[in-house]
Amino acid sequence: MYTLKEGIDFYIEPMQNKKVTIFDTTLRDGEQTPGVSLTSTQKLEIAHQLDKLGVDIIEAGFPISSEGDKESVKSISNAGLDTIVCGLARVLKKDIDACFESDVGLVHTFVPTSEVQRIYTIKKSQEEVIQLAVEAVQYIKDHGLKCMFSAMDATRTDPAYLIEVFKAVQEAGCDIINVPDTVGIMVPSAMYRQIKDIAAEITIPIDVHCHNDFGLAVANSLMAVEAGASQVQVTINGIGERAGNADLSQTVMSLTSIYGVKTNIRTEYLLETSKMIENYTGIRLPPNTPVVGQNAFSHESGIHSQGVLEKSDTFEPGIMTPEMVGHRRRIVLGKHTGKHAVKQSLESAGIKTNEKQLDEIVFRIKEIANKGKQITDADLYAVASAVLGKASSDEEFIKLKEVSVMTGNILTPTAVVKADIDGKEIISAKTGVGPVDAALKAVRDILGESNHFKLQDFRIDAITGGADALADVYIGLENEKGRIVTARSANPDIVMASVEALVNAMNLLYKKEEKS
Ligand code: KIV
Ligand code: ZN
């Protein structure tokens, strides 16, 4: 039994003395995600972010695949990053040369070793595969570069033959071997046994590359580390071929928080890195994604939120806090909400209530939530204002007067917004990629210099079907102090719904700021 944290004894093999190298393949396997294509500029920005995050190795691409990929890998290699930049190559001289021309510090060369891939893809015998692998490793080492060798589809390869391949490349001077679970068929116990068997025969470091076809990529990577692997291949948000690869955040947080393993990852940048990949790939994470998902540290139920407000360890792992991963804790109001959470939300907005008023507010909030509606801060303050007998419009800092938009196939979408701010009339005009974008930019602009908030969330739902569907817009804003407010609006006009939701949220944010 291992004491994970005071008061938490755990059935786990602790590994506090172990350090694991993090090999990130977001820019290579991650870019092979169906539908994802990154520009060279985006790849360079991602590489800088991965460097800031502290990954040890970035697999920047597959230089032989195109001139563009080669140029992109080269620009990352020469970007002055602390991390080692790696390029992928088949066991072919032309592939390896393309890596050399891309100035990488590490060449990752691979060849299929399983029978099915050997016969149906490269059509080579077992002996030919060993010869190609050895020649590739020697070629890389002769050029003075570090070399990693992957036996593609290792987990479906005859185990005795696999050891033979690994021994041959080790003999040829290879620096590290990789065990790819190419089609994600492993389970944790099998992974443990396979890595143990390989580690008993091989002396150079072992790396694993787990695919997520059965949702086990992270678990398999952890088992590989328990069994002796010292490097794991991961991607941001778990992107990659088919169901993707092991997710970096989940793998790193499990390794460090649960096992006590050391890595070089600066975990406080996990959320911002995940958001960057979400934006550039267009692949949105489900809210319940571990570690970096919107709900990872959100609490709704009355008992849970009350416990968390008293002591966060009650309904969170404790060994992983939102601050550790650059996230924040949110108490979400809904049908399970308790009095404690409502009181906290109101107090954080400077709204004081007596017991009777609070009971009434909680009752009304639950009534709304029971109708299936998500409760935003705007809903809460509207209910509170009603209960406290205040007219909420009296408190509006921004009063929207006019909105007009022009759009079309020969026009740049343009919006003009007129509003009263603290009694002064302000007009702003902006262009955008579409009418909603132009209108939201114009609304933001009416605040001039003081518009410091970030659009943290923006969702549009069509409430009913058909072209006349009511657009329900939900917005989350965050100011520079990390305060988040949420608001919504519903309107048959999608531009107006978006504008009203943004103005509602801005009114909440500025009202909250004044009172703090
Ligand atoms: O999944 C795989 O086998 C790969 C190799 C190139 C390592 O991505
Ligand atoms: Zn892969």
PDB file of all heavy atoms in Angstrom, residues 29 209 211 245, ligand 2:
ATOM      1  N   ASP A  29       1.608  12.456 -36.219  1.00  0.00           N
ATOM      2  CA  ASP A  29       0.443  11.558 -36.169  1.00  0.00           C
ATOM      3  C   ASP A  29      -0.837  12.382 -35.990  1.00  0.00           C
ATOM      4  O   ASP A  29      -1.873  12.103 -36.604  1.00  0.00           O
ATOM      5  CB  ASP A  29       0.589  10.544 -35.024  1.00  0.00           C
ATOM      6  CG  ASP A  29      -0.042   9.206 -35.345  1.00  0.00           C
ATOM      7  OD1 ASP A  29      -1.138   9.206 -35.906  1.00  0.00           O
ATOM      8  OD2 ASP A  29       0.562   8.151 -35.057  1.00  0.00           O
ATOM      9  N   HIS A 209       4.022   3.921 -28.299  1.00  0.00           N
ATOM     10  CA  HIS A 209       3.183   4.787 -29.141  1.00  0.00           C
ATOM     11  C   HIS A 209       1.823   4.090 -29.200  1.00  0.00           C
ATOM     12  O   HIS A 209       1.663   3.110 -29.921  1.00  0.00           O
ATOM     13  CB  HIS A 209       3.847   4.879 -30.517  1.00  0.00           C
ATOM     14  CG  HIS A 209       3.052   5.585 -31.578  1.00  0.00           C
ATOM     15  ND1 HIS A 209       3.332   6.864 -31.998  1.00  0.00           N
ATOM     16  CD2 HIS A 209       2.006   5.172 -32.339  1.00  0.00           C
ATOM     17  CE1 HIS A 209       2.505   7.208 -32.969  1.00  0.00           C
ATOM     18  NE2 HIS A 209       1.680   6.196 -33.198  1.00  0.00           N
ATOM     19  N   HIS A 211      -2.218   3.774 -29.819  1.00  0.00           N
ATOM     20  CA  HIS A 211      -3.417   4.307 -30.468  1.00  0.00           C
ATOM     21  C   HIS A 211      -4.642   3.971 -29.624  1.00  0.00           C
ATOM     22  O   HIS A 211      -4.630   3.068 -28.791  1.00  0.00           O
ATOM     23  CB  HIS A 211      -3.517   3.794 -31.905  1.00  0.00           C
ATOM     24  CG  HIS A 211      -2.717   4.666 -32.841  1.00  0.00           C
ATOM     25  ND1 HIS A 211      -3.224   5.834 -33.350  1.00  0.00           N
ATOM     26  CD2 HIS A 211      -1.450   4.556 -33.312  1.00  0.00           C
ATOM     27  CE1 HIS A 211      -2.297   6.406 -34.112  1.00  0.00           C
ATOM     28  NE2 HIS A 211      -1.206   5.659 -34.102  1.00  0.00           N
ATOM     29  N   ASN A 245      -4.353   9.126 -30.629  1.00  0.00           N
ATOM     30  CA  ASN A 245      -3.228   8.606 -29.839  1.00  0.00           C
ATOM     31  C   ASN A 245      -3.481   8.886 -28.355  1.00  0.00           C
ATOM     32  O   ASN A 245      -4.452   9.553 -28.010  1.00  0.00           O
ATOM     33  CB  ASN A 245      -1.940   9.350 -30.252  1.00  0.00           C
ATOM     34  CG  ASN A 245      -1.508   9.035 -31.662  1.00  0.00           C
ATOM     35  OD1 ASN A 245      -2.171   9.390 -32.613  1.00  0.00           O
ATOM     36  ND2 ASN A 245      -0.397   8.354 -31.813  1.00  0.00           N
TER      37      ASN A 245
HETATM   38 ZN    ZN B   2       0.625   6.150 -35.028  1.00  0.00          ZN
END
